Amino acid sequence: EAGGCARLRWTRRMATFQDVNARLNDLVPNGGDARAMDQTAVFASLADAQLCLRRTDPEVVRAAQRTLEDVLLRITCGGWAGPAVRRSASDVLSTLFSVGNPVAMYSCI
């Protein structure tokens, strides 16, 4: 039922930044098999990350920024993700640098 699904989506607990960071690290392991990556789950987690970044204290974001940067770079540069997933990851990376430490952007590029 479409209405029930929409209601469920809005009633679930909002994920914290730490939860989303851990979920993305689990979904996109360093050196993992690209064929095993669940792009749908990664895309949904990136949408959660975009929301979490805006409402999380910048100090908390800065403390965990490096691990999220690594995951986002694996997604954008790994060659396995589709265009929508890469675009979403680059949007989250942009938000990460605007909320967190913007100087770190220069070390990534």
Side-chain angles (χ1 to χ4, degrees), residues 24-92:
L24 281 168
N25 272 292
D26 289 342
L27 288 170
V28 187
N30 195 5
D33 182 14
R35 292 171 297 184
M37 304 290 179
D38 182 358
Q39 291 196 44
T40 304
V42 171
F43 189 77
S45 295
L46 290 169
D48 285 345
Q50 188 71 273
L51 294 172
C52 287
L53 281 169
R54 293 286 179 196
R55 69 173 187 267
T56 303
D57 178 35
E59 290 301 319
V60 172
V61 173
R62 285 184 198 105
Q65 182 168 343
R66 186 66 191 144
T67 58
L68 187 57
E69 283 175 26
D70 290 342
V71 171
L72 295 171
L73 289 174
R74 284 197 302 267
I75 294 169
T76 56
C77 302
W80 58 268
V85 175
R86 287 193 315 267
R87 172 64 190 260
S88 183
S90 65
D91 289 345
V92 172

Side-chain angles (χ1 to χ4, degrees), residues 8 12 16 19 43 53 55 62 66 78 82 84 90 93 96 98 102 104-105 108:
L8 176 64
R12 74 177 181 162
T16 65
D19 293 340
F43 189 77
L53 281 169
R55 69 173 187 267
R62 285 184 198 105
R66 186 66 191 144
S90 65
L93 197 57
L96 178 65
S98 71
M105 175 178 61
C108 286

Side-chain angles (χ1 to χ4, degrees), residues 1-7:
E1 169 180 79
C5 184
R7 222 177 2 261

